[in-house]
Amino acid sequence: MTMSKLPAFLASVLLTVVCSGFYHAAALSADLRPMPAKSAIRTGAEQTEQYMPYLQGKRVAILGNQTTILGKKHLVDSLKTRGITIVKVFGPEHGFRGNASNGAHVQDEVDRATGIPIVSLYGAKHKPSATDLADVDVMLFDLQDVGCRFYTTINTLSDIMEACAETGKELVILDRPNPNGYVDGPVLDMKLKSGIGKFPVPITHGMTIGEFAQMINGEGWLPNKMQCKLKIVPVQNYAHAMEYTLPVSPSPNLNTQQAVLLYPSLCLFEGTIVSQGRGTRMPFTVLGSPDLKGIYSFSFTPVSLPGKSETPLHQDQVCYGLDLRKYDTAKLRKAGKINIQWMMDLYKAYPAKEKFFDRSLSKQIGRIEALAGTTLFKEQITMAKSETEIRKSWEPQLTAYKVMRKKYTLYP
């Protein structure tokens, strides 16, 4: 018998049980999901009453970074002061304290504040080994994601789930809101699978980390369709369409809320000759290139910024283009769409079009096909296809994904 066919009183009791503690791997049917109240959003980490008793007496490992906070303190510090035994910490891209540059390998170290060993998952290895987990009873996952396929948090999640599945360890996820909670973009062609795209999802996948973990299990995306034991502490009073301001920058080059909200649209420019502002104090809020002088009046100059961008595209050159620092990002959320018009406009304005997607011009230019998730996007831009035509090519895969996604959502 499915949950949707349960008697009304029994369904009500089950919902109370689910909402009062951990949420286990199976997704709730749509009619049983609690609607968010008007009270403040509470992240999974803030609901200490839901998971602290469970961690007592266990040897805990934590996958975290600078966004892993409880109030104004790092969760690791809070857990330690509350008597939780933390045997090690695993650090993702940018490191445990979030001060490593984009793509920079991070070494193992000992946390100066707590003396706890830190195992890097963005250096020699990307997932914990069986040896790493031998002295661990339970893994705790608490990272702020930004809801994009090419942001590496979901890759780290998959690696952690795989390691836990292989070793029989349980994974507790303290869920956090997705600041870009809408679904849009081409679904990744798995022939283009890479480090910036591992799953057949669109650019903005519209999932929280807890929801995405359920989707990884449910769709059999782990090797050999392994299943990871999951416990999820859901966010309270949250819906995907809500505005959510991140309390901590999720990475060095997403240093403002504006950057976080523009990132799904502007990161596509990493596959072009156009700078997204890396090497400035305003990354992912500006676009420009030296070749656009005389076409745009706004300018900026990328420089080497240790810990943020050591060798940015167009370093020490004046770039001309668009200033999006005051762009109304609410338009993106309300429309539920990334902005591809900026790509279309800048390509049209670029005087040397053969350079626009030419990766041989700089090591800082990525592969546009891998970023977009399709080989069609580059061709569509160069052929000046309309936005309507481009978006039509994303179907029927995008609609099919939206239907599949509903099986795993925890929030309206």
Short mmCIF file of all heavy atoms in Angstrom, two decimals, residues 224-266:
data_model
loop_
_atom_site.label_atom_id
_atom_site.label_comp_id
_atom_site.label_asym_id
_atom_site.label_seq_id
_atom_site.Cartn_x
_atom_site.Cartn_y
_atom_site.Cartn_z
N ASN A 224 27.27 0.52 -9.63
CA ASN A 224 26.55 -0.74 -9.39
C ASN A 224 25.24 -0.54 -8.65
O ASN A 224 24.74 -1.44 -7.98
CB ASN A 224 27.44 -1.72 -8.61
CG ASN A 224 28.75 -2.02 -9.32
OD1 ASN A 224 28.76 -2.27 -10.52
ND2 ASN A 224 29.85 -1.98 -8.59
N LYS A 225 24.69 0.68 -8.78
CA LYS A 225 23.41 1.03 -8.14
C LYS A 225 23.42 0.78 -6.63
O LYS A 225 22.40 0.44 -6.01
CB LYS A 225 22.26 0.28 -8.80
CG LYS A 225 22.10 0.59 -10.29
CD LYS A 225 20.85 -0.04 -10.86
CE LYS A 225 20.72 0.21 -12.35
NZ LYS A 225 20.59 1.65 -12.68
N MET A 226 24.59 0.98 -6.02
CA MET A 226 24.68 0.86 -4.57
C MET A 226 23.74 1.85 -3.90
O MET A 226 23.40 2.88 -4.47
CB MET A 226 26.12 1.13 -4.10
CG MET A 226 27.13 0.10 -4.48
SD MET A 226 28.76 0.43 -3.71
CE MET A 226 29.17 2.02 -4.43
N GLN A 227 23.35 1.54 -2.67
CA GLN A 227 22.47 2.42 -1.90
C GLN A 227 23.19 2.90 -0.65
O GLN A 227 23.81 2.11 0.07
CB GLN A 227 21.19 1.69 -1.51
CG GLN A 227 20.32 1.30 -2.70
CD GLN A 227 19.67 2.49 -3.36
OE1 GLN A 227 18.83 3.17 -2.77
NE2 GLN A 227 20.05 2.76 -4.60
N CYS A 228 23.13 4.17 -0.40
CA CYS A 228 23.72 4.76 0.80
C CYS A 228 22.64 4.90 1.86
O CYS A 228 21.53 5.36 1.59
CB CYS A 228 24.31 6.14 0.47
SG CYS A 228 24.93 7.06 1.89
N LYS A 229 22.95 4.48 3.09
CA LYS A 229 22.02 4.66 4.21
C LYS A 229 21.95 6.14 4.55
O LYS A 229 22.95 6.75 4.92
CB LYS A 229 22.50 3.88 5.43
CG LYS A 229 22.58 2.37 5.23
CD LYS A 229 23.14 1.71 6.50
CE LYS A 229 23.34 0.22 6.30
NZ LYS A 229 23.95 -0.41 7.51
N LEU A 230 20.75 6.72 4.42
CA LEU A 230 20.58 8.16 4.61
C LEU A 230 19.67 8.48 5.78
O LEU A 230 18.65 7.82 6.00
CB LEU A 230 19.97 8.79 3.36
CG LEU A 230 20.80 8.90 2.10
CD1 LEU A 230 19.93 9.48 0.98
CD2 LEU A 230 22.03 9.78 2.31
N LYS A 231 20.03 9.51 6.52
CA LYS A 231 19.13 10.19 7.45
C LYS A 231 19.23 11.67 7.13
O LYS A 231 20.33 12.19 6.99
CB LYS A 231 19.53 9.93 8.91
CG LYS A 231 19.29 8.51 9.42
CD LYS A 231 19.63 8.41 10.89
CE LYS A 231 19.54 6.99 11.41
NZ LYS A 231 18.16 6.46 11.34
N ILE A 232 18.11 12.32 6.97
CA ILE A 232 18.09 13.72 6.57
C ILE A 232 17.34 14.54 7.61
O ILE A 232 16.23 14.18 8.01
CB ILE A 232 17.42 13.89 5.19
CG1 ILE A 232 18.19 13.11 4.11
CG2 ILE A 232 17.33 15.37 4.80
CD1 ILE A 232 17.44 12.97 2.80
N VAL A 233 17.96 15.63 8.05
CA VAL A 233 17.26 16.60 8.89
C VAL A 233 16.79 17.71 7.95
O VAL A 233 17.59 18.54 7.51
CB VAL A 233 18.17 17.17 9.99
CG1 VAL A 233 17.39 18.15 10.87
CG2 VAL A 233 18.74 16.04 10.86
N PRO A 234 15.51 17.75 7.58
CA PRO A 234 15.03 18.72 6.59
C PRO A 234 15.03 20.14 7.13
O PRO A 234 14.99 20.38 8.34
CB PRO A 234 13.60 18.26 6.32
CG PRO A 234 13.48 16.88 6.89
CD PRO A 234 14.44 16.83 8.02
N VAL A 235 15.07 21.09 6.22
CA VAL A 235 14.92 22.50 6.57
C VAL A 235 13.47 22.74 6.98
O VAL A 235 12.55 22.22 6.35
CB VAL A 235 15.28 23.41 5.37
CG1 VAL A 235 15.22 24.88 5.76
CG2 VAL A 235 16.65 23.05 4.82
N GLN A 236 13.26 23.52 8.01
CA GLN A 236 11.91 23.87 8.43
C GLN A 236 11.47 25.19 7.79
O GLN A 236 12.28 26.09 7.58
CB GLN A 236 11.83 24.01 9.95
CG GLN A 236 11.91 22.70 10.70
CD GLN A 236 11.72 22.89 12.20
OE1 GLN A 236 11.69 24.01 12.71
NE2 GLN A 236 11.60 21.79 12.93
N ASN A 237 10.18 25.27 7.48
CA ASN A 237 9.56 26.52 6.99
C ASN A 237 10.16 27.00 5.68
O ASN A 237 10.35 28.19 5.47
CB ASN A 237 9.68 27.63 8.05
CG ASN A 237 9.23 27.18 9.41
OD1 ASN A 237 8.20 26.54 9.54
ND2 ASN A 237 10.01 27.50 10.44
N TYR A 238 10.42 26.06 4.77
CA TYR A 238 11.10 26.38 3.52
C TYR A 238 10.32 25.86 2.32
O TYR A 238 9.73 24.79 2.36
CB TYR A 238 12.50 25.77 3.53
CG TYR A 238 13.21 25.79 2.19
CD1 TYR A 238 13.64 26.98 1.62
CD2 TYR A 238 13.45 24.61 1.49
CE1 TYR A 238 14.28 27.01 0.39
CE2 TYR A 238 14.09 24.62 0.26
CZ TYR A 238 14.50 25.82 -0.28
OH TYR A 238 15.13 25.84 -1.51
N ALA A 239 10.32 26.65 1.24
CA ALA A 239 9.81 26.23 -0.06
C ALA A 239 10.81 26.68 -1.12
O ALA A 239 11.52 27.67 -0.95
CB ALA A 239 8.44 26.84 -0.33
N HIS A 240 10.87 25.94 -2.23
CA HIS A 240 11.89 26.20 -3.25
C HIS A 240 11.82 27.61 -3.84
O HIS A 240 12.85 28.16 -4.25
CB HIS A 240 11.78 25.17 -4.37
CG HIS A 240 12.29 23.82 -4.00
ND1 HIS A 240 13.62 23.53 -3.89
CD2 HIS A 240 11.64 22.66 -3.69
CE1 HIS A 240 13.79 22.27 -3.54
NE2 HIS A 240 12.60 21.71 -3.40
N ALA A 241 10.63 28.18 -3.89
CA ALA A 241 10.48 29.50 -4.51
C ALA A 241 10.88 30.64 -3.58
O ALA A 241 10.92 31.79 -3.99
CB ALA A 241 9.04 29.69 -4.97
N MET A 242 11.21 30.30 -2.33
CA MET A 242 11.54 31.35 -1.36
C MET A 242 12.89 32.00 -1.64
O MET A 242 13.83 31.35 -2.10
CB MET A 242 11.58 30.75 0.06
CG MET A 242 10.23 30.45 0.65
SD MET A 242 10.43 29.80 2.33
CE MET A 242 8.72 29.71 2.85
N GLU A 243 12.96 33.28 -1.32
CA GLU A 243 14.25 33.97 -1.34
C GLU A 243 15.03 33.55 -0.10
O GLU A 243 14.49 33.51 1.01
CB GLU A 243 14.03 35.48 -1.33
CG GLU A 243 15.33 36.29 -1.35
CD GLU A 243 15.08 37.78 -1.34
OE1 GLU A 243 13.88 38.18 -1.32
OE2 GLU A 243 16.04 38.55 -1.34
N TYR A 244 16.30 33.19 -0.28
CA TYR A 244 17.12 32.80 0.86
C TYR A 244 18.51 33.41 0.70
O TYR A 244 19.21 33.16 -0.28
CB TYR A 244 17.24 31.28 0.95
CG TYR A 244 18.13 30.82 2.09
CD1 TYR A 244 17.72 30.98 3.42
CD2 TYR A 244 19.39 30.27 1.85
CE1 TYR A 244 18.52 30.58 4.47
CE2 TYR A 244 20.20 29.86 2.91
CZ TYR A 244 19.77 30.01 4.21
OH TYR A 244 20.57 29.63 5.25
N THR A 245 18.87 34.25 1.66
CA THR A 245 20.18 34.90 1.65
C THR A 245 21.17 34.05 2.42
O THR A 245 20.95 33.75 3.61
CB THR A 245 20.10 36.30 2.27
OG1 THR A 245 19.17 37.10 1.52
CG2 THR A 245 21.46 36.98 2.24
N LEU A 246 22.25 33.67 1.79
CA LEU A 246 23.25 32.83 2.43
C LEU A 246 23.97 33.61 3.53
O LEU A 246 24.40 34.74 3.30
CB LEU A 246 24.28 32.33 1.41
CG LEU A 246 23.94 31.03 0.67
CD1 LEU A 246 22.61 31.12 -0.06
CD2 LEU A 246 25.05 30.66 -0.31
N PRO A 247 24.11 33.03 4.72
CA PRO A 247 24.79 33.73 5.81
C PRO A 247 26.30 33.77 5.66
O PRO A 247 26.96 34.61 6.25
CB PRO A 247 24.38 32.93 7.05
CG PRO A 247 24.10 31.56 6.53
CD PRO A 247 23.53 31.75 5.15
N VAL A 248 26.85 32.84 4.85
CA VAL A 248 28.30 32.74 4.63
C VAL A 248 28.54 32.51 3.15
O VAL A 248 27.81 31.76 2.50
CB VAL A 248 28.91 31.58 5.45
CG1 VAL A 248 30.39 31.42 5.15
CG2 VAL A 248 28.69 31.78 6.94
N SER A 249 29.58 33.14 2.59
CA SER A 249 29.92 32.93 1.18
C SER A 249 30.29 31.47 0.96
O SER A 249 31.13 30.93 1.68
CB SER A 249 31.09 33.82 0.78
OG SER A 249 30.76 35.19 0.92
N PRO A 250 29.70 30.81 -0.02
CA PRO A 250 29.95 29.39 -0.22
C PRO A 250 31.32 29.07 -0.82
O PRO A 250 31.79 27.94 -0.71
CB PRO A 250 28.82 28.96 -1.16
CG PRO A 250 28.48 30.20 -1.91
CD PRO A 250 28.67 31.32 -0.94
N SER A 251 31.96 30.03 -1.47
CA SER A 251 33.29 29.83 -2.04
C SER A 251 33.92 31.20 -2.30
O SER A 251 33.21 32.21 -2.34
CB SER A 251 33.23 29.01 -3.32
OG SER A 251 32.33 29.58 -4.26
N PRO A 252 35.24 31.26 -2.47
CA PRO A 252 35.93 32.55 -2.59
C PRO A 252 35.40 33.47 -3.68
O PRO A 252 35.38 34.69 -3.51
CB PRO A 252 37.39 32.14 -2.85
CG PRO A 252 37.52 30.81 -2.21
CD PRO A 252 36.21 30.13 -2.43
N ASN A 253 34.97 32.89 -4.81
CA ASN A 253 34.52 33.73 -5.91
C ASN A 253 33.00 33.89 -5.97
O ASN A 253 32.47 34.47 -6.91
CB ASN A 253 35.05 33.19 -7.24
CG ASN A 253 36.52 33.52 -7.41
OD1 ASN A 253 36.90 34.69 -7.56
ND2 ASN A 253 37.38 32.51 -7.37
N LEU A 254 32.31 33.36 -4.97
CA LEU A 254 30.89 33.68 -4.79
C LEU A 254 30.79 34.42 -3.47
O LEU A 254 30.27 33.91 -2.47
CB LEU A 254 30.04 32.40 -4.79
CG LEU A 254 29.96 31.65 -6.13
CD1 LEU A 254 29.06 30.43 -6.01
CD2 LEU A 254 29.47 32.56 -7.25
N ASN A 255 31.32 35.64 -3.47
CA ASN A 255 31.52 36.39 -2.22
C ASN A 255 30.38 37.35 -1.90
O ASN A 255 30.45 38.06 -0.90
CB ASN A 255 32.84 37.16 -2.29
CG ASN A 255 32.90 38.15 -3.44
OD1 ASN A 255 32.11 38.07 -4.38
ND2 ASN A 255 33.82 39.09 -3.37
N THR A 256 29.33 37.37 -2.72
CA THR A 256 28.15 38.19 -2.44
C THR A 256 26.90 37.40 -2.82
O THR A 256 26.95 36.46 -3.62
CB THR A 256 28.15 39.51 -3.25
OG1 THR A 256 28.07 39.18 -4.66
CG2 THR A 256 29.41 40.32 -2.98
N GLN A 257 25.77 37.80 -2.26
CA GLN A 257 24.50 37.18 -2.62
C GLN A 257 24.20 37.40 -4.10
O GLN A 257 23.66 36.51 -4.77
CB GLN A 257 23.37 37.75 -1.76
CG GLN A 257 22.00 37.16 -2.02
CD GLN A 257 21.83 35.74 -1.50
OE1 GLN A 257 22.72 35.18 -0.88
NE2 GLN A 257 20.68 35.15 -1.77
N GLN A 258 24.57 38.56 -4.62
CA GLN A 258 24.35 38.84 -6.04
C GLN A 258 25.10 37.84 -6.91
O GLN A 258 24.56 37.32 -7.90
CB GLN A 258 24.81 40.28 -6.36
CG GLN A 258 24.47 40.76 -7.75
CD GLN A 258 23.01 41.16 -7.92
OE1 GLN A 258 22.18 40.92 -7.04
NE2 GLN A 258 22.67 41.78 -9.04
N ALA A 259 26.34 37.53 -6.53
CA ALA A 259 27.13 36.56 -7.29
C ALA A 259 26.50 35.17 -7.25
O ALA A 259 26.45 34.46 -8.26
CB ALA A 259 28.55 36.51 -6.74
N VAL A 260 26.00 34.78 -6.08
CA VAL A 260 25.37 33.47 -5.93
C VAL A 260 24.17 33.34 -6.87
O VAL A 260 23.97 32.31 -7.52
CB VAL A 260 24.93 33.26 -4.46
CG1 VAL A 260 24.01 32.04 -4.34
CG2 VAL A 260 26.15 33.09 -3.56
N LEU A 261 23.38 34.40 -6.98
CA LEU A 261 22.17 34.35 -7.78
C LEU A 261 22.44 34.51 -9.28
O LEU A 261 21.65 34.04 -10.10
CB LEU A 261 21.18 35.41 -7.30
CG LEU A 261 20.76 35.27 -5.83
CD1 LEU A 261 19.78 36.37 -5.44
CD2 LEU A 261 20.14 33.90 -5.56
N LEU A 262 23.54 35.15 -9.63
CA LEU A 262 23.90 35.30 -11.04
C LEU A 262 24.73 34.13 -11.56
O LEU A 262 24.85 33.91 -12.76
CB LEU A 262 24.69 36.60 -11.25
CG LEU A 262 23.91 37.90 -11.13
CD1 LEU A 262 24.85 39.10 -11.20
CD2 LEU A 262 22.84 38.01 -12.23
N TYR A 263 25.29 33.36 -10.63
CA TYR A 263 26.22 32.29 -10.99
C TYR A 263 25.67 31.30 -12.02
O TYR A 263 26.38 30.94 -12.97
CB TYR A 263 26.65 31.56 -9.71
CG TYR A 263 27.56 30.38 -9.93
CD1 TYR A 263 28.90 30.55 -10.25
CD2 TYR A 263 27.08 29.08 -9.80
CE1 TYR A 263 29.73 29.47 -10.44
CE2 TYR A 263 27.90 27.99 -9.99
CZ TYR A 263 29.24 28.19 -10.31
OH TYR A 263 30.06 27.10 -10.51
N PRO A 264 24.43 30.82 -11.90
CA PRO A 264 23.93 29.86 -12.91
C PRO A 264 23.98 30.40 -14.32
O PRO A 264 24.19 29.64 -15.27
CB PRO A 264 22.48 29.61 -12.46
CG PRO A 264 22.48 29.90 -11.01
CD PRO A 264 23.43 31.06 -10.84
N SER A 265 23.79 31.70 -14.49
CA SER A 265 23.82 32.31 -15.82
C SER A 265 25.22 32.68 -16.25
O SER A 265 25.62 32.47 -17.41
CB SER A 265 22.93 33.56 -15.84
OG SER A 265 21.61 33.28 -15.47
N LEU A 266 26.01 33.22 -15.33
CA LEU A 266 27.33 33.76 -15.70
C LEU A 266 28.42 32.70 -15.78
O LEU A 266 29.43 32.90 -16.46
CB LEU A 266 27.75 34.86 -14.73
CG LEU A 266 27.36 36.29 -15.15
CD1 LEU A 266 25.86 36.43 -15.35
CD2 LEU A 266 27.86 37.31 -14.14
#
